[in-house]
Amino acid sequence: LEWLLVPMHQLVSWGAAGAMVFGGVVPYIPQYRDIRRTQNAEGFSTYVCLVLLVANILRILFWFGRRFESPLLWQSIIMIITMLLMLKLCTEVRVSNELNVKRRSFAAADSKDEEIKAPPKRSYLDFDLNYFWHWSKFTDYIQCVLTFTGVTGYITYLWLDSPLFVEMLGFLAVFTEAMLGVPQLYRNYQNRSTEGMSVKMVLMWTSGDTFKTVYFILNQAPFQFSICGLLQVFVDIAILLQVYLYSSYPQKPVSHTAHPASTKAL
């Protein structure tokens, strides 16, 4: 039976690797379709995109210091592309639905903005916390991501020979990813509702994170991956508990004024 077991084992390995590379993207497909269909991005927190972009950029940098399995590297690349597509859609939908036409940007205010006759003096980078990650153009998000990548990449290049720095970088990467569901968890708590959030996406999160954690353990990935994978599963379960609680015991949603930080959720 060895002639049969060897190819079967190889197929299972390929299937597991493929699931690792593309499995993380699958949960966002129903959310992406819901946003396109309803032209409403209120139920999805774009801070989820921020968390995943930061986590996967740091994971790629960690790879240069400690080479882990290539499927995990490709997973990060695919996830970055996916999050940029989600950001593009959410930005387009949100801007088209906003009654307030004032534009917010990562860079300095545009003097051609019709609403602003005399642009206020502003530094090149607009780090006003009230409007951070709530800009009106997709290019502003690209600028921010490239700036973060350039700065962290340069720091990593300088400290790449330090084992302590490399291990801390790896832990920071996977811990950031483990916090993925926290913005959604907080958004649901704020709204006292999970309306607008794709439950299918969260279920896929939970199954995917469980599979991913088991994959880390069985393939003896760096210990940071396994620990933070377990933490991520716990956060997913907490969100599913919110779905049950808010559907079984509905509460009056908390009224919010239009605010940039409240325009996104999964």
Side-chain angles (χ1 to χ4, degrees), residues 68-168:
F68 47 79
E69 287 192 330
S70 56
L72 300 180
L73 177 64
W74 281 107
Q75 180 197 46
S76 292
I77 296 172
I78 297 297
M79 184 59 72
I80 289 173
I81 295 172
T82 302
M83 289 303 101
L84 290 176
L85 291 174
M86 288 293 295
L87 272 176
K88 186 174 187 298
L89 175 63
C90 289
T91 304
E92 291 173 351
V93 169
R94 185 181 66 242
V95 171
S96 66
N97 292 337
E98 279 182 347
L99 296 178
N100 180 8
V101 296
K102 189 171 183 179
R103 295 294 182 251
R104 299 290 176 180
S105 62
F106 175 70
D110 187 352
S111 60
K112 295 181 180 180
D113 193 322
E114 296 178 359
E115 180 184 291
I116 305 177
K117 296 180 180 179
K121 291 183 179 180
R122 180 179 291 181
S123 60
Y124 176 71
L125 299 183
D126 179 7
F127 284 114
D128 183 346
L129 291 180
N130 291 326
Y131 298 102
F132 178 76
W133 208 250
H134 188 75
W135 302 306
S136 304
K137 294 182 180 179
F138 176 64
T139 52
D140 292 303
Y141 294 95
I142 295 293
Q143 291 175 30
C144 182
V145 170
L146 290 178
T147 299
F148 175 79
T149 304
V151 172
T152 53
Y154 180 67
I155 294 173
T156 302
Y157 174 75
L158 294 178
W159 291 88
L160 200 58
D161 293 332
S162 169
L164 178 61
F165 173 81
V166 171
E167 293 301 325
M168 288 183 62

Side-chain angles (χ1 to χ4, degrees), residues 45 47-48 51 179-188 264-265:
S45 173
Y47 285 106
V48 170
V51 170
M179 294 295 100
L180 166 65
V182 173
Q184 189 65 54
L185 191 72
Y186 179 70
R187 165 54 66 85
N188 296 341
K264 155 180 178 8

